[in-house]
Amino acid sequence: MLTNSSCGQNKSKNIQESNKKIKFPIQKSDEEWKKVLSPLAFEIMVERGTEPPFRNAYNSNKQKGIYVSAATGEPLFSSEDKYESGSGWPSFTKAIKEGVITVVKDNSHGMIRDEVIETKTGLHLGHVFDDGPKDKGGKRYCMNSAALKFIKQ
């Protein structure tokens, strides 16, 4: 079951269509992504859905390791930068390194938000907000667990 909340958006065709116009290094058809991604990951990443808060794989994960893209295996976030935001989704203060994520404007659902996409694919990961820990830059990268895979250290 998908939900629409401050960290998520459901099937924003405008963003999806505009991102398809951008040339990303890895491009696949929906059928090709369906072969690579789980049904939930496809719904989140390709159709730009969101998973339920608090009922997802990594919100409460406290293990040490890295979070990689469910689509490509590209390292995106580190457990060292994960924190408990209370939002119900895994939240990070920054990406694991520069250039692995890109922030684009999301004007869906009558809101203006900053969507986080994977730089290599343009696939949806979540959103970023300016209410993160001030001592760590003030950002909250609110990600969908289904868009990630965890690799234990």
Side-chain angles (χ1 to χ4, degrees), residues 122-137:
L123 295 178
H124 176 73
L125 301 170
H127 289 89
V128 61
F129 302 94
D130 290 325
D131 59 0
K134 298 295 180 216
D135 63 332
K136 299 209 177 188

Side-chain angles (χ1 to χ4, degrees), residues 29-91:
S29 68
D30 287 359
E31 283 64 40
E32 290 171 311
W33 282 124
K34 283 180 182 178
K35 291 176 185 173
V36 174
L37 300 170
S38 71
L40 181 57
F42 181 85
E43 180 78 17
I44 300 297
M45 298 180 82
V46 177
E47 295 187 338
R48 293 176 152 58
T50 194
E51 62 201 1
F54 303 103
R55 296 189 322 263
N56 55 70
Y58 302 130
N59 179 56
S60 299
N61 185 22
K62 306 239 187 293
Q63 297 179 67
K64 299 270 186 221
I66 62 169
Y67 295 83
V68 302
S69 166
T72 64
E74 175 80 20
L76 300 174
F77 297 96
S78 170
S79 61
E80 292 180 18
D81 302 308
K82 187 175 185 286
Y83 74 101
E84 178 53 53
S85 68
S87 68
W89 288 275
S91 297

